Amino acid sequence: MEKHIMGENGISYTLGEGGLYYPDLYLPEETEYPIGKYGMLRKTYLQEHRKGLYLELVFAGKLNEHLHQIDEECNQMMDRLVEQMKEKQGVTEELKMQDQMAWVGQIQMFGFAEKSQL
């Protein structure tokens, strides 16, 4: 038996254990994007609750791009929400200049404001 064969469907096969031929399948190359907190949360969600979509993204080579996009969108949304909350609570640069401790106290009430937003 030959070690490698080409099937009629154009897929190459390699002889494996037990005399069975297995298709030579490779995942497409993926572009590497940085993934942050929200991208990792999305990945966990997909793995636990949307296995079909997760596998589809992996096999299409689009998982990393998808996670990066979700991470970017969530960070932008968080920035908008923090700005809206600051405006509603009266947390301004003027307050920061007049009473830094009050300003810090107000910012900490948001609970999720990161240092980059301070």
Side-chain angles (χ1 to χ4, degrees), residues 3-110:
K3 180 84 173 158
H4 299 282
I5 62 170
M6 182 64 73
E8 293 175 10
N9 55 8
I11 298 176
S12 63
Y13 295 84
T14 301
L15 183 62
E17 294 183 25
L20 297 175
Y21 283 100
Y22 296 95
D24 297 326
L25 301 176
Y26 302 97
L27 293 176
E29 291 282 330
E30 257 194 273
T31 306
E32 288 295 321
Y33 295 104
I35 306 298
K37 172 184 176 180
Y38 301 108
M40 295 306 294
L41 289 170
R42 174 68 172 174
K43 182 178 181 181
T44 301
Y45 170 78
L46 291 173
Q47 288 174 325
E48 293 177 2
H49 302 287
R50 302 287 307 274
K51 291 178 180 143
L53 178 57
Y54 174 77
L55 291 174
E56 181 181 329
L57 290 167
V58 168
F59 292 142
K62 302 267 186 207
L63 179 64
N64 192 263
E65 180 181 352
H66 173 76
L67 297 177
H68 176 71
Q69 181 181 1
I70 294 294
D71 193 63
E72 289 291 314
E73 289 173 8
C74 288
N75 281 316
Q76 290 171 5
M77 187 180 301
M78 288 298 293
D79 290 344
R80 284 193 308 270
L81 287 172
V82 167
E83 289 304 315
Q84 289 172 1
M85 290 175 70
K86 284 168 50 175
E87 185 177 315
K88 187 173 183 178
Q89 296 293 325
V91 179
T92 62
E93 289 298 314
E94 186 178 314
L95 175 63
K96 184 178 182 181
M97 288 172 31
Q98 291 175 354
D99 189 354
Q100 274 190 337
M101 293 308 288
W103 182 84
V104 169
Q106 289 287 334
I107 290 292
Q108 287 180 342
M109 284 186 357
F110 298 156

